[in-house]
Amino acid sequence: MKQKITIKTIAKELGVSTSTVSKALKDSHEIGAETKERIQAYANLYNYKPNHLALQLRNQKTKVIGVILPKIVHHFFSTVIMGIEEGANKKGYNIMVCFSNESHKKEVETLKVLSNGSVDGIIVSVASETLENKDFTHFSDLVNEEIPLVLFDRVINEILCDKVVVDDVGAGYKATMHLIENGRKRIALITTPDHVNVGALRKQGYEKALIESYIKSDDALVVKIDETKDISSQISSVFEHNIDAIFAVNEIYAAKAMKIAKSKGLNIPKDIAIAGFTDGLISEYSSPAITTIAQHGLTMGRQAVDLLIERIENESADFKAKRIVISSDLKVRESTKTSS
C-alpha cells in the first residue's frame, strides 16, 4: 500500500517549492515542461489526490477568519478576541469564534469544519488535552494542505507555522522578583500541569528568580492544578507550608488563593503577598486589588490576525515561519505592597 502524500511531501522529495508543485499539478504554463512532467509522474505514482476543499479555501476567499480558543472564562482570551476582531475588521475580514473547551476531540472536529472552505485562515490557542497527549496530527495536516495557520499563547513548537507568544519566562521572573524584593522568602507557585507550556514557562521564570536570589526551591510550594478536580482544595494544600507569598499563573487562581488566605485569618499583604497573571477585572476589583502581570491580549490578537492576513493575501514559495514574542508588564497593587 502506497503512502499517503501531500503537496509538501512531493516538494521535499523532488527538491522544489510547494508552490511549484501546486502549479505543476494545475498544469500551469509558469512551470517548465520537464519539471511539470516529473512532478505529475510522482503524483500519479503515489496516487496523489488534491484536497479540493482546501483548494477552495485558498482560491475562493470568504473574507472570514476562524478562531479556536480553549475557553472563554479568562479575561485574557476575551481581550485577544477583541484584538483579532479589531485587526480583522480594519482589513475587511470577519471572524468566526469557536471553543475547544480544552478537548482534543472537539479541537480536531472544529478544525475540520473550519478548514472545509468556511474560512480563509485559522488562529488557534491549543487545548490542554492536545498538549497533554501530544497528538498534533490535525495541525500537521492543516499545514501540509497549506491552509494559513497562526498559533498564539499555547503553541506547538513542532508545527511549522506563525506563532505569537508572551515572554512567559520573563513574566514569571518579574512577578517572583517583585515578591522577593518585598522581603518574601517562602513563595508558593500555583501553576498548571507541565504539559500546558505557558504554565511550565512561567515556572521557569519563578525558578530563575529564586536561584538568582539564593533562595532554595521547595517542591512542596509548587501546586500544579488539575482543573478536573476541586481547585480550591488543591490551592489550600500549599498553606500548610509556612508561606509568605503566592505567585499564581492566572488571575482565577490568584483570586481563589486570596479567598482562602482571608478564610484563614491572614492579612494581605502583611501576612501573605499575592501576585497573579492577566490584568482583568477580577484582579482590579478584588479587595485588596491584586498585583498582576499584564499580558497585553489586545496586542497579541492584533499581531496574530496581522500575521494571518499577510499569509492569506501574500502566498509565498519561500515560507519562513515567524515567531513574535510580546513582553509583559508588572502592575503593582495592594496585594503585594509593603505596609508603611
Side-chain angles (χ1 to χ4, degrees):
M1 183 175 177
K2 293 186 175 70
Q3 67 186 94
K4 179 183 177 182
I5 65 168
T6 66
I7 285 178
K8 288 204 171 185
T9 310
I10 300 171
K12 182 178 180 181
E13 289 297 321
L14 300 183
V16 297
S17 70
T18 53
S19 177
T20 297
V21 174
S22 181
K23 289 176 181 178
L25 295 175
K26 295 174 187 174
D27 205 27
S28 171
H29 67 276
E30 297 178 44
I31 308 301
E34 183 180 343
T35 301
K36 192 187 299 183
E37 288 173 7
R38 193 158 57 99
I39 291 170
Q40 290 176 351
Y42 189 95
N44 289 333
L45 175 64
Y46 286 95
N47 196 29
Y48 170 73
K49 301 290 185 186
N51 185 328
H52 293 292
L53 292 175
L55 290 174
Q56 177 190 6
L57 173 67
R58 292 194 291 274
N59 298 329
Q60 298 180 15
K61 303 305 182 190
T62 65
K63 304 298 283 187
V64 177
I65 288 167
V67 182
I68 305 177
L69 302 175
K71 59 181 75 173
I72 194 58
V73 294
H74 294 307
H75 170 79
F76 169 67
F77 287 124
S78 64
T79 58
V80 171
I81 291 173
M82 291 170 61
I84 292 173
E85 184 170 43
E86 178 187 297
N89 290 347
K90 280 183 180 178
K91 296 187 179 180
Y93 288 78
N94 292 308
I95 68 171
M96 183 187 301
V97 182
C98 306
F99 301 96
S100 66
N101 297 323
E102 302 289 16
S103 163
H104 173 263
K105 181 181 179 183
K106 182 77 181 295
E107 185 176 77
V108 170
E109 291 172 349
T110 305
L111 209 58
K112 186 179 295 184
V113 170
L114 292 181
S115 63
N116 71 359
S118 302
V119 299
D120 293 339
I122 303 172
I123 298 172
V124 185
S125 184
V126 184
S128 173
E129 195 172 72
T130 299
L131 294 169
E132 183 176 12
N133 63 28
K134 293 182 167 52
D135 182 357
F136 310 137
T137 307
H138 51 308
F139 289 114
S140 299
D141 290 344
L142 203 70
V143 170
N144 287 337
E145 294 296 343
E146 298 183 300
I147 295 173
L149 171 68
V150 174
L151 298 180
F152 77 93
D153 191 46
R154 299 183 190 174
V155 303
I156 304 165
N157 292 329
E158 296 90 335
I159 299 298
L160 185 64
C161 69
D162 295 322
K163 302 176 181 75
V164 184
V165 296
V166 172
D167 177 12
D168 285 301
V169 175
Y173 177 83
K174 284 178 188 176
T176 309
M177 282 303 299
H178 168 69
L179 294 169
I180 292 169
E181 287 165 359
N182 277 355
R184 311 295 171 162
K185 301 292 184 184
R186 296 279 294 171
I187 303 169
L189 175 68
I190 312 298
T191 186
T192 58
D194 288 337
H195 63 262
V196 181
N197 48 18
V198 291
L201 291 170
R202 291 165 197 172
K203 180 172 179 279
Q204 285 182 29
Y206 160 84
E207 292 171 338
K208 179 183 177 186
L210 294 181
I211 291 168
E212 288 187 7
S213 303
Y214 303 100
I215 297 174
K216 186 177 179 180
S217 61
D218 184 346
D219 289 342
L221 303 189
V222 177
V223 178
K224 298 174 184 177
I225 299 295
D226 179 351
E227 294 202 357
T228 65
K229 300 176 182 177
D230 182 68
I231 295 174
S232 294
S233 63
Q234 293 175 75
I235 294 175
S236 291
S237 66
V238 83
F239 285 85
E240 300 170 5
H241 298 285
N242 190 32
I243 57 175
D244 58 13
I246 290 175
F247 168 43
V249 300
N250 64 51
E251 67 176 357
I252 293 175
Y253 295 173
K256 285 182 179 292
M258 179 176 286
K259 184 177 180 181
I260 293 165
K262 287 180 177 180
S263 72
K264 293 179 178 295
L266 299 174
N267 177 277
I268 304 166
K270 183 179 178 182
D271 299 322
I272 186 167
I274 297 176
F277 213 101
T278 301
D279 186 28
L281 296 177
I282 293 174
S283 299
E284 185 176 358
Y285 293 110
S286 289
S287 180
I290 301 173
T291 291
T292 190
I293 292 287
Q295 288 175 276
H296 305 299
L298 275 172
T299 301
M300 178 170 278
R302 291 169 187 151
Q303 293 274 15
V305 79
D306 283 350
L307 274 179
L308 189 70
I309 292 174
E310 181 183 346
R311 292 299 180 199
I312 291 168
E313 298 184 349
N314 301 288
E315 295 181 358
S316 171
D318 299 318
F319 176 86
K320 290 185 179 178
K322 295 181 181 179
R323 185 183 183 93
I324 296 176
V325 180
I326 297 173
S327 61
S328 56
D329 299 314
L330 180 71
K331 285 200 173 183
V332 179
R333 296 195 176 103
E334 288 78 11
S335 69
T336 63
K337 285 183 178 177
T338 306
S339 56
S340 54

